[in-house]
Amino acid sequence: MGQGHRPQVITGNWKMYKTLEEALTFVKELIPKIKDSVSKVYIAVPFTVIQPLVKEIEGSKLVLGAQNMNDASEGAFTGEIAGKMLKDAGAQFVLLGHSERRRIFKEDNAFINRKVKRAIQDKLQPVLCIGETKEEREAKQTEEIIRKQLSEGLAGIESHDLNNLIIAYEPVWAIGSNESATAEVAQEAHRFCRQVLAEITSQEIADQIVIQYGGSVNASNAEELLSQPDIDGLLIGGASLSLETFVQIIHDSESVLNRKVETI
Ligand code: PGA
């Protein structure tokens, strides 16, 4: 199956930015600008704005999600949030294992794996984030890390539960650094991710899984990255906070998608 059969998903990751007022203003202005979008547009927002934004996005193409959740269904875990609470608030997807969670909050593959399972159970679309550090790339361990994060992150999950999964390949050295991976480097990593996904599941399922690239995506590099055969979308941090840049990237993604569809 060719890449043209996969949807293209452009996700903004707001991280710990935007108050309710800022979020509402952004979304109100964004919706009319993406009404004819063929790319899917997702935003991963702070917990506090999920519910108020749900009303705002009604009838639009925008998909709302969260940036993290706990692996337990509920319990005495002060400060944590459960998948079913996110679902209740109106989230449709959740980022899991973002490198900032792995690095700053010491989340490991086993914990992230339990979260992926819980997200599936709670009917939230999991977006599993993976990627190597600069040291790992320099030590030529990129493939080993990708294999480990994918196989441990997805361990014990039935293949049929994985077709709704999104993988975000985000090399840690490229995040917030203004040093995006080149399109060639990113494509090679994405090709390898798909190979590992085929080993874990089946070629057919691996061919359906959307693999996003993330790490210093901006309006100047988005189109080239998306033109690669195994890059099916983008996870955008800093550049998604500016409405103008985010919309520009979404518009650029449309022409790439149209070209990809024409070539299948
Ligand atoms: P960046 O962040 O686009 O600011 O590099 C990407 C991410 O952390 O998801």
Side-chain angles (χ1 to χ4, degrees), residues 130-132 137 142-143 146-147 150 167 169-171 173 181-197 211-213 230-231:
I130 60 163
E132 80 288 357
R137 175 160 284 270
T142 300
E143 293 198 347
I146 288 177
R147 183 180 292 283
L150 284 177
I167 298 294
Y169 169 68
E170 300 201 294
W173 46 271
T182 62
E184 294 69 32
V185 164
Q187 163 57 25
E188 181 45 30
H190 280 233
R191 187 205 56 74
F192 184 72
C193 288
R194 205 173 304 283
Q195 179 186 319
V196 175
L197 290 169
I211 308 180
Q212 297 180 308
Y213 168 81
D230 286 293
I231 301 185

Side-chain angles (χ1 to χ4, degrees), residues 13 15 98 100 170 174-177 214-217 235-238:
N13 173 12
K15 308 195 180 188
H98 188 280
E100 284 149 17
E170 300 201 294
I175 296 177
S177 65
S216 295
V217 172
L235 180 53
I236 311 162

Side-chain angles (χ1 to χ4, degrees), residues 148-162:
K148 191 173 162 66
Q149 290 181 341
L150 284 177
S151 55
E152 294 183 12
L154 300 175
I157 301 172
E158 299 285 342
S159 294
H160 62 80
D161 281 330
L162 292 179

Side-chain angles (χ1 to χ4, degrees), residues 30-212:
L30 175 62
I31 288 172
K33 294 188 161 65
I34 59 164
K35 70 177 190 325
D36 299 320
S37 176
V38 276
S39 297
K40 294 191 175 189
V41 183
Y42 285 28
I43 43 173
V45 301
F47 300 140
T48 48
V49 307
I50 295 173
Q51 196 167 28
L53 284 184
V54 167
K55 274 198 237 96
E56 211 52 53
I57 67 160
E58 238 172 39
S60 82
K61 299 217 161 172
L62 204 49
V63 179
L64 266 187
Q67 303 166 17
N68 182 36
M69 60 177 260
N70 191 262
D71 65 323
S73 70
E74 60 184 5
F77 302 107
T78 303
E80 289 293 277
I81 194 140
K84 65 181 178 191
M85 295 167 181
L86 297 176
K87 185 79 190 172
D88 202 28
Q92 294 182 57
F93 74 96
V94 60
L95 304 183
L96 298 171
H98 188 280
S99 78
E100 284 149 17
R101 303 294 319 170
R102 292 177 188 262
R103 183 171 47 86
I104 306 168
F105 302 100
K106 309 286 176 248
E107 294 190 6
D108 63 13
N109 288 326
F111 186 37
I112 295 162
N113 175 242
R114 293 197 301 276
K115 295 183 189 218
V116 176
K117 289 176 175 159
R118 180 67 63 191
I120 293 169
Q121 213 171 314
D122 291 336
K123 307 221 167 357
L124 286 163
Q125 181 177 26
V127 180
L128 173 63
C129 305
I130 60 163
E132 80 288 357
T133 63
K134 192 176 175 64
E135 295 70 38
E136 288 160 349
R137 175 160 284 270
E138 283 169 358
K140 305 214 175 326
Q141 291 168 345
T142 300
E143 293 198 347
E144 193 183 314
I145 295 297
I146 288 177
R147 183 180 292 283
K148 191 173 162 66
Q149 290 181 341
L150 284 177
S151 55
E152 294 183 12
L154 300 175
I157 301 172
E158 299 285 342
S159 294
H160 62 80
D161 281 330
L162 292 179
N163 51 10
N164 195 32
L165 169 83
I166 294 181
I167 298 294
Y169 169 68
E170 300 201 294
V172 181
W173 46 271
I175 296 177
S177 65
N178 248 334
E179 193 200 329
S180 161
T182 62
E184 294 69 32
V185 164
Q187 163 57 25
E188 181 45 30
H190 280 233
R191 187 205 56 74
F192 184 72
C193 288
R194 205 173 304 283
Q195 179 186 319
V196 175
L197 290 169
E199 290 165 21
I200 297 174
T201 61
S202 65
Q203 190 65 52
E204 199 192 345
I205 290 176
D207 280 338
Q208 287 170 27
I209 295 178
V210 167
I211 308 180
Q212 297 180 308

